[in-house]
């Protein structure tokens, strides 16, 4: 009888985990589908030239986004998952760093980008449009994503899923209204619509967070370096992921840049199924590793198996549906299908190394995690830039496979080293306790 109860309990626990994962992955897939529709609308209505301009500015904002907040968001998830009472302080910590860094980034971009991009023949309107894109894609996106992460830290995955889906659907509605109904056809015009949409979503997020209590505005000094260790690799990774678009825009046609950017978006969308698993696992991993990373070694192996299986399924699905994409994005994107089919298998390598770095992050080993991702991104940025310049676009795609495979090897070697180190430290502590009278 006891064994029967134990099996029933395990089954219920597994069923609850699977239900939560399905809900989490479902919300991300719905979000991804909405983003693809938004992307498709913009691709069709803006046209190849304007769309390539939109992609280039968004690529720069994507790098700055990871610098905004200096990694404080991960600190909130980790600390709140372990101690929910830390929420007011960690929220205040986030808002201060996001506000300060956001203002600096927007001001810097407003000075530099008008010399690189022309969204309007009027210098004043050009600055206004560019500032709208900067505030939208850096500060407002960071605040909206922070709302999602707050609920993940509290293990309120249902609310987090609603934030993700609501945000994606709101952007799709904005694109339909702007392009389909009101005939927006330039990046500058879309920048204003996008800004208004994000402001409204941010206000809703603020209203939702009010039930959790007011923030306590102070800096948590001991977490600043952890935040920097966390954010710098993502900044470098974002730079590496966008250097290809920037170099291709210099040496290739607008069609190649636009088709490649859509293929990249498909790759990111296919990775969402793995991200859904990671976001579900992260709070529990943070708790499980509180006594040392070695305590979650078996957990990491199970997550690796699940992530690999999910990524293989995602890659096959994207390969199959690739021929249908021109009907969604437009037949002007002639290179789209071949790019998608050549790049879709990269998601498997992404999934494998993401498990290792997520484990390092959840256990608080941000120095190791940061080193792996920073060095990988630096190497990747140089290799991708050279390959994109030397043999576009084939060299770009080959370089992506080389980089992701190198990340798999490096991340897992480091994780195994840290687990062994954790075991050794635990064994030494045990011997010291036994030696005490």
């Amino acid at each position: 009888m006891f064994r029967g109860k134990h099996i029933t309990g395990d089954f219920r626990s597994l069923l609850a985990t699977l239900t939560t994962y399905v809900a989490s992955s479902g919300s991300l897939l719905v979000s991804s589908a909405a983003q693809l529709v938004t992307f498709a609308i913009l691709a069709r209505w803006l046209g190849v030239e304007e769309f390539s301009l939109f992609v280039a500015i968004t690529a720069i904002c994507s790098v700055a986004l990871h610098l905004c907040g200096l990694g404080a968001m991960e600190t909130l998830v980790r600390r709140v998952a372990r101690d929910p009472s830390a929420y007011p302080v960690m929220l205040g910590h986030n808002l201060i760093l996001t506000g300060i860094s956001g203002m600096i980034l927007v001001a810097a971009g407003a000075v530099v980008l008008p010399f690189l991009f022309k969204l309007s023949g009027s210098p004043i309107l050009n600055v206004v449009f560019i500032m709208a894109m900067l505030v939208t894609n850096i500060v407002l996106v960071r605040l909206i994503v922070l709302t999602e992460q707050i609920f993940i830290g509290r293990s309120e995955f249902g609310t987090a899923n609603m934030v993700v889906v609501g945000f994606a659907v709101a952007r799709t509605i904005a694109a339909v209204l702007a392009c389909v109904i009101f005939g927006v056809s330039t990046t500058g015009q879309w920048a204003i619509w996008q800004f208004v949409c994000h402001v409204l979503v941010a206000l809703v997020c603020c209203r939702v967070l009010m039930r959790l209590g007011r923030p306590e505005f102070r800096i948590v000094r001991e977490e600043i370096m952890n935040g920097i260790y966390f954010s710098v690799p993502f900044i470098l990774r974002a730079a590496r992921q966008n250097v290809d678009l920037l170099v291709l825009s210099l040496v290739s046609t607008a069609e190649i840049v636009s088709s490649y950017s859509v293929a990249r978006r498909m790759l990111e969308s296919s990775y969402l199924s793995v991200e859904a698993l990671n976001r579900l696992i992260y709070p529990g991993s943070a708790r499980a590793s509180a006594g040392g990373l070695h305590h979650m070694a078996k957990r990491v192996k199970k997550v690796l198996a699940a992530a690999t299986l999910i990524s293989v399924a995602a890659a096959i699905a994207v390969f199959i549906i690739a021929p249908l994409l021109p009907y969604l994005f437009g037949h002007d994107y002639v290179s789209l299908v071949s790019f998608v089919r050549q790049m879709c298998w990269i998601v498997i390598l992404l999934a494998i190394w993401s498990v290792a770095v997520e484990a390092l992050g959840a256990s608080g080993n941000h120095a190791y995690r940061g080193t792996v991702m920073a060095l990988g991104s630096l190497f990747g940025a140089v290799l991708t830039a050279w390959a994109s310049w030397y043999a576009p676009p084939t060299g770009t795609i080959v370089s992506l496979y080389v980089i992701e495979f190198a990340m798999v090897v490096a991340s897992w070697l480091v994780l195994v080293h840290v687990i062994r180190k954790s075991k050794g430290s635990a064994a030494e502590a045990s011997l010291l306790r036994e030696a005490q009278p």
Side-chain angles (χ1 to χ4, degrees):
M1 177 178 281
F2 175 78
R3 181 174 175 80
K5 290 182 178 179
H6 177 70
I7 294 174
T8 303
D10 286 346
F11 176 77
R12 288 177 178 174
S13 177
L14 177 61
L15 182 61
T17 301
L18 288 175
T19 301
T20 305
Y21 172 72
V22 169
S24 180
S25 59
S27 68
L28 289 180
L29 289 174
V30 170
S31 170
S32 175
Q35 289 180 31
L36 282 176
V37 172
T38 304
F39 219 55
I41 292 172
L42 294 176
R44 278 183 173 272
W45 264 261
L46 296 184
V48 170
E49 295 293 337
E50 285 287 329
F51 186 67
S52 64
L53 183 61
F54 168 75
V55 166
I57 298 176
T58 303
I60 295 173
C61 291
S62 297
V63 178
L65 174 63
H66 294 290
L67 183 56
C68 186
L70 298 178
M73 193 166 62
E74 187 279 334
T75 298
L76 183 146
V77 174
R78 176 166 40 84
R79 294 279 288 261
V80 171
R82 294 175 178 175
D83 180 15
S85 66
Y87 168 72
V89 173
M90 299 315 303
L91 177 60
H93 176 76
N94 267 268
L95 293 178
I96 291 172
L97 294 181
T98 299
I100 294 173
S101 59
M103 286 190 294
I104 294 172
L105 290 168
V106 170
V111 171
V112 176
L113 295 189
F115 294 100
L116 303 176
F117 303 102
K118 298 298 180 184
L119 304 187
S120 172
S122 168
I124 295 177
L125 280 179
N126 192 46
V127 172
V128 170
F129 290 152
I130 287 177
M131 284 195 67
M133 291 195 70
L134 291 169
V135 173
T136 299
N137 292 290
I138 299 175
V139 179
L140 294 177
V141 169
R142 175 55 65 199
L143 292 175
I144 294 167
V145 174
L146 174 62
T147 303
E148 174 205 351
Q149 294 298 309
I150 285 171
F151 288 109
I152 288 176
R154 295 169 58 88
S155 293
E156 297 182 27
F157 295 106
T159 308
N161 295 338
M162 290 176 61
V163 173
V164 173
V165 173
F167 184 29
V169 171
R171 286 186 291 186
T172 302
I173 293 173
V176 171
L177 288 173
C179 297
V180 180
I181 296 178
F182 288 94
V184 165
S185 59
T186 68
T187 301
Q189 293 171 340
W190 167 244
I192 301 301
W193 280 86
Q194 188 185 41
F195 172 76
V196 173
C197 170
H198 283 63
V199 168
L200 293 176
V201 174
L203 290 175
V204 172
C205 289
C206 181
R207 182 68 181 87
V208 171
L209 289 177
M210 287 177 64
R211 71 176 177 84
L212 302 181
R214 295 179 177 274
E216 183 178 330
F217 289 99
R218 65 182 178 89
I219 297 293
V220 183
R221 296 182 181 275
E222 64 271 21
E223 288 289 355
I224 290 179
M225 285 308 301
N226 277 335
I228 292 174
Y229 279 131
F230 180 85
S231 62
V232 167
F234 276 101
I235 295 167
L236 295 174
R237 184 185 176 194
R240 188 257 291 181
Q241 289 178 329
N242 289 283
V243 70
D244 47 4
L245 289 171
L246 296 176
V247 175
L248 286 176
S249 67
L250 297 175
V251 299
S252 297
T253 65
E255 188 280 324
I256 291 292
V257 175
S258 298
S259 294
Y260 179 82
S261 68
V262 174
R264 279 274 309 276
R265 179 56 63 96
M266 289 298 300
L267 176 61
E268 293 166 3
S269 297
S270 66
Y271 177 70
L272 287 178
S273 56
V274 179
E275 185 180 346
L277 177 66
N278 287 335
R279 74 201 285 263
L280 174 65
I281 293 297
Y282 200 92
S285 297
R287 290 189 291 269
S289 62
L293 181 55
H294 62 285
H295 290 297
M296 58 178 287
K298 292 183 179 179
R299 179 185 180 91
V300 172
K301 293 178 182 178
K302 293 178 181 178
V303 175
L304 174 62
T308 302
L309 182 63
I310 292 168
S311 63
V312 170
I316 293 173
V318 171
F319 185 87
I320 292 173
I321 68 171
L324 302 177
L325 295 178
Y327 296 98
L328 179 62
F329 290 91
H331 293 281
D332 290 338
Y333 298 84
V334 295
S335 307
L336 178 56
V337 174
S338 62
F339 282 164
V340 169
R341 285 192 156 180
Q342 291 168 20
M343 296 169 62
C344 65
W345 309 107
I346 297 175
V347 70
I348 301 172
L349 299 175
L350 278 168
I352 293 173
W353 71 255
S354 72
V355 172
V357 298
E358 289 294 316
L360 291 170
S363 60
N365 288 285
H366 290 293
Y368 286 104
R369 181 183 183 281
T371 300
V372 170
M373 293 189 68
L375 292 178
S377 296
L378 285 173
F379 165 74
V382 173
L383 178 60
T384 300
W386 175 81
S388 300
W389 183 273
Y390 181 75
T394 303
T396 309
I397 297 173
V398 171
S399 71
L400 295 181
Y401 277 96
V402 173
I403 294 161
E404 302 304 339
F405 180 77
M407 286 294 296
V408 169
V409 175
S411 61
W412 279 94
L413 285 176
V414 170
L415 179 62
V416 170
H417 168 73
V418 176
I419 290 176
R420 289 176 178 172
K421 184 178 178 181
S422 178
K423 285 182 180 179
S425 298
E428 289 179 6
S430 178
L431 289 174
L432 287 174
R433 285 195 298 270
E434 293 176 359
Q436 290 178 353

